Amino acid sequence: MLRVQDIIFSYLKEVTIKNSSFSVQKGQNVTIIGESGCGKSTLLKLIYGLYDLNDGEIFWNDHQVLGPKFNLIPGMDFMKYLAQDFDLMPYITVAENVGKYLSNIDPEKKWNRVKELLEIVEMEDFFDVKAKNLSGGQMQRVAIARVLALEPEVLLLDEPFSHIDNFRKNSLRRKLFSYLKEKQITCLVATHDSTDVLSFSDEVLVMKNGEIIEKGTPKSIYDNPKNKYIASLFGDVNEIEIDGCLKYIYPHQFKIVEQSNIKISVLNCYFRGSYYLIEAEHNSNIIFFESNCAILKSTVVFLSL
């Protein structure tokens, strides 16, 4: 179990991480989501032991995570941390980068392991290509393979798919998270992408201004957001008063009806492939809803839940 207990951290005078606590069971995938600058990356670095805490403790089972004051080389042996800069060696091949920390005692076993990892990240065709000749997305996929090489007990991923083309992301996510579940590798992912959260997380931590403001399963947080900030992390959201109560409504939850208390005037219509996202005005406020067909500007329609 990973245990984070009442940790506080600051780079200078202003507190960056405020009195945060949570635990993660072995084999769980936990996603940390929040706006840029909320402290996601810093939290991962603290868990890895790259900084010294101002207060609090972090444990993996019985091992306390300690920072640079206590370790000549910062970081924990049982963890692997993938930063956003990848840190590949540019003048050696993809295979050599992935196999850098693998034993050379059995070369056949080593290179078979490298091929297995490159297949997971869909980079097997780049086995002998030097890292300096890769695109940013390709480098990121190689970096993911490299942190998996020694099968860490805990994997910390900071925006792991940020440079990867959209058409590859879904396949890569499925392969990577399936592999982590199969090997029972505990994983924490810092991201701003709701797809990482909803499809693959066992639990979600929502951060804002250095604080964990919400914890729960992806479904519970998505279905019952406590405020607009949390709801907006999952896409467009409408803040609307219904029967005297303030509600946070996603566009897909609205339905077009013949008559209701929600009368709107269409402002714009955006084609999204399988549906149209409609921007409309309601009581001088902007709201969004989805429609199966295009709706002309200035059209008046009624919505219900």
Side-chain angles (χ1 to χ4, degrees), residues 111-121 179 183:
W111 297 120
N112 284 338
R113 173 68 173 154
V114 170
K115 288 176 183 176
E116 176 192 13
L117 294 167
L118 290 177
E119 286 174 4
I120 292 171
V121 298
Y179 178 84
K183 300 295 184 180

Side-chain angles (χ1 to χ4, degrees), residues 136-151:
Q138 290 168 338
M139 287 183 182
Q140 191 164 34
R141 285 149 61 193
V142 173
I144 292 171
R146 190 178 64 177
V147 296
L148 291 174
L150 294 175
E151 285 195 8

Side-chain angles (χ1 to χ4, degrees), residues 98-117:
V98 174
K100 181 180 177 182
Y101 300 110
L102 294 175
S103 171
N104 290 311
I105 293 175
D106 186 341
E108 184 178 359
K109 182 179 179 181
K110 173 180 177 175
W111 297 120
N112 284 338
R113 173 68 173 154
V114 170
K115 288 176 183 176
E116 176 192 13
L117 294 167

Side-chain angles (χ1 to χ4, degrees), residues 84-302:
Q84 295 185 44
D85 60 5
F86 317 145
D87 193 30
L88 298 181
M89 298 184 70
Y91 296 104
I92 63 174
T93 67
V94 164
E96 288 167 336
N97 267 286
V98 174
K100 181 180 177 182
Y101 300 110
L102 294 175
S103 171
N104 290 311
I105 293 175
D106 186 341
E108 184 178 359
K109 182 179 179 181
K110 173 180 177 175
W111 297 120
N112 284 338
R113 173 68 173 154
V114 170
K115 288 176 183 176
E116 176 192 13
L117 294 167
L118 290 177
E119 286 174 4
I120 292 171
V121 298
E122 300 178 352
M123 285 291 290
E124 61 270 28
D125 293 339
F126 295 82
F127 192 91
D128 293 318
V129 176
K130 288 186 177 180
K132 70 183 182 71
N133 295 322
L134 301 177
S135 68
Q138 290 168 338
M139 287 183 182
Q140 191 164 34
R141 285 149 61 193
V142 173
I144 292 171
R146 190 178 64 177
V147 296
L148 291 174
L150 294 175
E151 285 195 8
E153 296 177 58
V154 182
L155 184 61
L156 308 172
L157 302 175
D158 193 355
E159 299 285 359
F161 311 110
S162 58
H163 294 266
I164 297 170
D165 297 330
N166 284 330
F167 75 94
R168 286 196 182 275
K169 279 186 182 180
N170 289 334
S171 173
L172 180 57
R173 285 183 182 112
R174 286 191 291 268
K175 287 184 177 181
L176 175 61
F177 290 118
S178 293
Y179 178 84
L180 296 178
K181 280 296 181 185
E182 177 188 339
K183 300 295 184 180
Q184 280 292 286
I185 296 172
T186 303
C187 182
L188 279 81
V189 181
T191 186
H192 65 276
D193 191 335
S194 61
T195 306
D196 298 335
V197 178
L198 296 175
S199 300
F200 304 104
S201 300
D202 297 307
E203 189 172 21
V204 181
L205 306 177
V206 181
M207 290 194 72
K208 184 178 182 181
N209 297 330
E211 292 185 86
I212 297 172
I213 62 170
E214 181 68 301
K215 306 175 190 176
T217 64
K219 191 174 190 311
S220 67
I221 291 177
Y222 180 85
D223 288 343
N224 303 286
K226 289 184 177 180
N227 54 50
K228 189 173 183 180
Y229 171 79
I230 294 174
S232 66
L233 294 174
F234 299 98
D236 292 312
V237 65
N238 301 292
E239 187 176 33
I240 187 169
E241 188 174 307
I242 299 176
D243 298 328
C245 295
L246 197 61
K247 302 280 189 180
Y248 304 106
I249 309 297
Y250 299 109
H252 71 87
Q253 293 177 308
F254 279 124
K255 297 178 182 178
I256 299 175
V257 294
E258 291 185 4
Q259 190 72 35
S260 76
N261 293 328
I262 306 175
K263 180 181 178 181
I264 60 96
S265 176
V266 173
L267 299 175
N268 289 295
C269 180
Y270 304 100
F271 180 58
R272 290 291 182 88
S274 59
Y275 66 93
Y276 291 85
L277 180 67
I278 311 298
E279 180 182 7
E281 185 178 18
H282 170 67
N283 292 341
S284 299
N285 295 317
I286 300 298
I287 67 170
F288 294 90
F289 66 97
E290 293 180 7
S291 170
N292 292 328
C293 57
I295 302 178
L296 295 175
K297 185 176 181 178
S298 300
T299 301
V300 173
V301 298
F302 296 90

